[in-house]
């Protein structure tokens, strides 16, 4: 029989809560404590840029599980910032100088928004969206203004642009590259997303580097390098994120674009595990380390960590998948789309869904779909399963709308 | 014994094997499934978020939500994979004279 253990989790996001839940399924008696530094119980983040900003959902509607989860599962939640970790003697020190000893530690500190650096006075006035408090600040300020500029045309910037547009705000999106959502999204799909924003009145500025920002009274004048001027009352930054590893900078923990972990969520320090955005993990399917920032990844890797911490050896094999909702469109992306031989398209309009399959050696390695809600999910999911099984496929079926893709799973 | 209120959904052939159709009745929406073991019915909307399951993936006796990949057992309605955690309600289904019926109380 295993002896009772003390399990501590730093960070209180999706990976943490699912790890705790999974651990408890496999170990009824050891203690689990989650340390969060937000003044809230763990909540889902996807609604922050969408339903929450649009006043369609309140905080209580997107808490993880029920409010009774912590009592029902005997999981302790402590709202405290952790200041340091002593890996040798296996304890954490909180900001109020208390020690918390562990037998096994899970790190789920997530990621931190990259900040715009223009000029100190202006930088401090830029809003970001990572957590509930920041979403509240954006919501409050947005309610007081009409014109909003968003720096960065990635997923988060575009979701905010969509939500604020639906609150009747005039929105400018400034993107430094020549397409939205980075090179990972096929340009025809990125162009359809751009067209949807423009159809709804958002102004999208591609190839646009900011030259300067000037504050005039309560407003800002943004000068682009192409000499275009955008006047706005509020600026929101959405230019990506970096793994939150500051706490471990001078420790034995091996860091490289996040915390290096193996396929069992183990870090370079014994009895220390990592999961979610912060982990740069070895993926057996790709035979390399990857770092992902997505809802499904945080959930599934959290579950995998919970199993391994409970002593059940479990490889993390989940195929990457993420989604974004903007206006009436749902975008889904699965696999890795950075190494392929050809792209096969399925579908002709967003009403019924368009999917681009990335093919290498007659296998699907990635897929990106865009359509009205529900229209691409099934085929993207089929693609995920085919990627996982590395199935050789008949490529003609992929582009033939008269043939369903489900039978491919039976091969 | 629950009250019986059998409503015709359509012909057997209107639902492909390992697939489902959406069925709307009296301001409610349902999914009616055809799998190897027969015909089954559940509520149409995922319990995680307000998304219809009609475009979801049916595999064996499971339906997977097309939005966030929550998975339910078609026969029991049980939520078996997160983020879904509340079960779907299920409804009896019968086939008579090549027609599929759902019992909606």
């Amino acid at each position: 029989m295993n002896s009772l253990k003390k399990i501590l989790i730093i960070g209180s996001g999706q990976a943490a809560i699912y790890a705790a839940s999974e651990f408890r399924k496999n170990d009824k008696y050891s203690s689990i404590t989650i340390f969060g530094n937000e003044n809230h119980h763990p909540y889902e983040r996807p609604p922050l840029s969408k339903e929450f900003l649009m006043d369609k959902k309140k905080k209580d509607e997107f808490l993880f599980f029920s409010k009774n989860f912590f009592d029902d599962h005997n999981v302790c939640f402590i709202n405290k910032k952790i200041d340091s970790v002593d890996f040798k003697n296996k304890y954490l020190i909180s900001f109020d100088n208390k020690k918390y000893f562990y037998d096994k530690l899970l790190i789920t500190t997530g990621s931190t928004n990259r900040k715009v650096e223009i000029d100190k006075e202006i930088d401090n006035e830029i809003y970001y969206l990572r957590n509930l408090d920041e979403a509240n600040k954006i919501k409050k300020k947005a309610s007081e203004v009409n014109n909003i500029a968003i720096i960065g045309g990635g997923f988060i910037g575009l979701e905010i642009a969509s939500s604020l547009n639906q609150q009747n705000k005039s929105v400018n999106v400034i993107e430094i590259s020549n397409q939205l959502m980075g090179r990972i999204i096929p340009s025809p799909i990125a162009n359809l997303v751009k067209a949807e924003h423009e159809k709804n009145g958002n102004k999208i500025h591609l190839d646009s580097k900011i030259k300067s920002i000037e504050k005039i009274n309560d407003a800002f004048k943004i000068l682009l390098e192409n000499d275009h001027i955008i006047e706005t009352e509020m600026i929101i930054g959405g230019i990506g994120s970096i793994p939150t590893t500051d706490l471990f900078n001078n420790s034995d923990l091996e860091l490289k674009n996040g915390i290096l972990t193996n396929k069992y969520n183990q870090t370079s320090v014994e009895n220390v595990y990592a999961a979610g955005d912060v982990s740069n993990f070895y993926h057996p399917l790709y035979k390399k380390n990857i770092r992902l920032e997505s809802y499904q990844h945080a959930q599934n890797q959290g579950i995998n960590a919970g199993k391994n911490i409970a002593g059940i050896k479990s490889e993390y094999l989940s195929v990457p998948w993420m989604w974004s909702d903007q206006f009436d469109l749902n975008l889904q992306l699965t696999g890795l789309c950075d190494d392929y031989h050809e792209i096969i398209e399925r579908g002709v309009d967003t009403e019924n869904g368009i999917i681009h399959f990335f093919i290498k050696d007659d296998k699907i390695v990635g897929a990106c779909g865009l359509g009205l809600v529900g229209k691409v999910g099934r085929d993207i999911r089929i693609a995920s399963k085919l990627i996982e099984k590395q199935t050789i496929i008949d490529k003609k079926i992929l582009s033939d709308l008269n043939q369903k893709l489900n039978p491919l799973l039976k091969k | 014994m629950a009250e019986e209120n059998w409503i015709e959904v359509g012909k057997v052939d209107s639902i492909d094997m390992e697939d489902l159709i959406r069925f709307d009745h009296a301001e409610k929406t349902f999914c009616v499934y055809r799998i190897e073991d027969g015909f089954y019915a559940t509520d149409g909307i995922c319990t995680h978020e307000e998304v219809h399951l009609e475009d979801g993936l049916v595999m064996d006796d499971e339906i997977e939500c097309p939005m966030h990949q929550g998975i339910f057992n078609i026969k029991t309605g049980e939520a078996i994979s997160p983020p879904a955690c509340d079960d779907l309600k299920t409804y009896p289904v019968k086939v008579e004279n090549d027609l599929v019926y759902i019992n909606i109380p």
Side-chain angles (χ1 to χ4, degrees):
Chain A
M1 191 179 144
N2 290 334
S3 56
L4 296 186
K5 297 179 189 72
K6 275 188 183 166
I7 312 300
L8 300 187
I9 302 177
I10 314 178
S12 61
Q14 185 149 15
I17 193 90
Y18 274 99
S21 166
E22 187 64 26
F23 178 85
R24 183 55 82 223
K25 281 182 197 166
N26 298 291
D27 183 330
K28 302 284 179 221
Y29 304 107
S30 291
S31 73
I32 316 173
T33 304
I34 297 176
F35 290 88
N37 57 6
E38 293 184 53
N39 196 22
H40 310 283
H41 273 79
Y43 56 87
E44 300 202 25
R45 292 185 197 273
L48 295 181
S49 55
K50 303 182 271 284
E51 296 91 339
F52 183 74
L53 275 193
M54 290 189 282
D55 262 335
K56 290 181 179 172
K57 266 190 180 176
K58 294 191 166 48
K59 174 189 150 189
D60 285 355
E61 294 174 80
F62 52 89
L63 288 175
F64 279 116
F65 310 129
S66 70
K67 276 186 171 171
N68 301 329
F69 170 82
F70 291 91
D71 288 341
D72 292 349
H73 292 78
N74 191 20
V75 174
C76 180
F77 176 70
I78 298 180
N79 185 27
K80 264 188 192 180
K81 186 173 178 292
I82 297 301
D83 268 357
S84 65
V85 183
D86 184 330
F87 289 117
K88 195 169 165 230
N89 297 302
K90 294 168 81 173
Y91 63 78
L92 315 181
I93 301 181
S94 60
F95 79 100
D96 54 353
N97 219 23
K98 288 200 171 144
K99 277 186 187 173
Y100 296 88
F101 286 89
Y102 64 82
D103 295 304
K104 295 195 178 188
L105 174 69
L106 173 63
I107 300 167
T108 62
T109 43
S111 48
T112 305
N113 287 331
R114 194 173 273 133
K115 298 285 166 63
V116 176
E117 290 178 9
I118 304 259
D119 130 345
K120 271 191 183 162
E121 192 198 341
I122 303 290
D123 293 350
N124 291 334
E125 304 229 20
I126 298 176
Y127 290 76
Y128 294 91
L129 180 51
R130 167 72 40 189
N131 57 42
L132 190 54
D133 291 345
E134 288 173 337
N136 264 319
K137 283 181 192 161
I138 288 179
K139 207 160 140 178
K140 182 172 180 298
K141 179 68 179 175
S143 71
E144 297 162 0
V145 302
N146 291 312
N147 297 295
I148 297 163
I150 297 171
I151 302 175
F155 293 113
I156 191 75
L158 292 171
E159 288 186 357
I160 296 170
S162 158
S163 299
L164 294 178
N165 175 291
Q166 292 173 73
Q167 300 286 87
N168 298 316
K169 304 300 172 188
S170 171
V171 181
N172 281 277
V173 177
I174 304 162
E175 167 57 38
I176 197 165
S177 75
N178 62 1
Q179 78 160 56
L180 296 174
M181 298 174 290
R183 283 169 299 169
I184 204 96
I185 301 293
S187 54
I189 288 189
N191 289 341
L192 287 169
V193 171
K194 179 171 178 276
E196 183 71 12
H197 277 263
E198 289 172 337
K199 185 183 90 186
N200 284 284
N202 282 350
K203 293 185 188 72
I204 308 286
H205 308 267
L206 298 179
D207 289 314
S208 294
K209 194 168 180 199
I210 294 172
K211 195 170 182 182
S212 65
I213 302 180
E214 191 183 344
K215 191 173 181 195
I216 303 165
N217 300 322
D218 286 335
F220 302 91
K221 196 163 113 181
I222 302 175
L223 175 63
L224 303 180
E225 284 201 341
N226 59 14
D227 290 335
H228 187 83
I229 291 171
I230 297 166
E231 290 181 344
T232 187
E233 300 156 277
M234 176 183 186
I235 303 173
I236 301 170
I239 57 165
S241 61
I242 47 172
T244 311
T245 55
D246 329 14
L247 203 53
F248 318 109
N249 279 343
N250 299 310
S251 73
D252 291 340
L253 205 57
E254 211 174 324
L255 305 176
K256 191 180 177 188
N257 181 28
I259 300 171
L260 286 177
T261 55
N262 65 14
K263 59 190 175 183
Y264 303 112
N265 298 81
Q266 292 163 315
T267 69
S268 57
V269 176
E270 203 181 352
N271 294 312
V272 178
Y273 300 73
D277 289 16
V278 78
S279 96
N280 183 0
F281 64 100
Y282 180 81
H283 198 306
L285 179 63
Y286 300 108
K287 296 184 174 54
K288 64 177 180 182
N289 275 62
I290 56 175
R291 194 175 76 78
L292 299 170
E293 297 169 2
S294 83
Y295 177 92
Q296 169 248 22
H297 168 61
Q299 171 189 289
N300 292 349
Q301 209 189 15
I303 291 171
N304 203 62
K307 279 196 176 83
N308 281 301
I309 293 169
I312 298 160
K313 203 100 173 152
S314 171
E315 288 185 28
Y316 183 60
L317 299 164
S318 197
V319 171
W321 172 75
M322 57 82 63
W323 88 91
S324 174
D325 296 326
Q326 298 167 40
F327 298 104
D328 293 331
L329 296 179
N330 169 243
L331 182 148
Q332 297 197 16
L333 182 67
T334 188
L336 296 184
C337 309
D338 57 351
D339 182 17
Y340 58 92
H341 294 150
E342 62 176 313
I343 293 177
I344 295 177
E345 294 178 30
R346 180 179 179 86
V348 290
D349 55 41
T350 53
E351 204 168 317
N352 296 296
I354 295 174
I355 298 182
H356 287 225
F357 293 97
F358 294 74
I359 311 292
K360 187 179 180 187
D361 299 330
D362 292 326
K363 295 173 195 162
I364 301 174
V365 292
C368 178
L370 181 73
L372 294 181
V373 166
K375 293 302 172 194
V376 298
R378 176 176 4 201
D379 288 343
I380 288 286
R381 185 63 182 132
I382 290 169
S384 293
K385 287 178 181 285
L386 294 170
I387 293 168
E388 188 177 349
K389 290 160 74 175
Q390 301 193 57
T391 309
I392 304 269
I393 43 142
D394 177 358
K395 292 183 284 187
K396 279 180 285 187
I397 293 176
L398 293 181
S399 56
D400 183 354
L401 288 176
N402 294 318
Q403 296 199 58
K404 288 184 176 179
L405 301 188
N406 306 43
L408 292 173
L409 294 173
K410 296 291 176 192
K411 287 185 177 169
Chain B
M1 189 77 180
E3 192 183 329
E4 295 204 343
N5 181 30
W6 291 101
I7 311 291
E8 184 185 317
V9 174
K11 285 190 169 179
V12 162
D13 289 352
S14 66
I15 315 177
D16 290 341
M17 182 58 75
E18 284 229 340
D19 209 344
L20 76 149
I21 58 166
R22 171 178 175 155
F23 179 65
D24 295 339
H25 177 76
E27 294 180 0
K28 282 198 75 181
T29 184
F30 307 89
C31 286
V32 182
Y33 309 85
R34 182 180 188 180
I35 57 176
E36 289 288 345
D37 292 347
F39 292 83
Y40 296 87
T42 67
D43 273 338
I45 305 291
C46 180
T47 57
H48 172 237
E49 284 197 9
E50 289 274 306
V51 176
H52 208 290
L53 294 167
E54 64 176 319
D55 295 309
L57 175 63
V58 176
M59 270 197 78
D60 302 323
D61 54 1
E62 294 172 1
I63 171 72
E64 181 168 322
C65 175
M67 278 295 276
H68 304 135
Q69 300 187 350
I71 301 177
F72 302 89
N73 183 292
I74 286 167
K75 296 177 180 174
T76 64
E78 185 190 358
I80 52 177
S81 181
C85 51
D86 294 327
D87 297 346
L88 282 174
K89 203 170 168 196
T90 59
Y91 301 87
V93 177
K94 68 175 180 182
V95 176
E96 274 180 12
N97 300 323
D98 209 31
L99 291 170
V100 180
Y101 295 85
I102 175 174
N103 186 8
I104 303 169

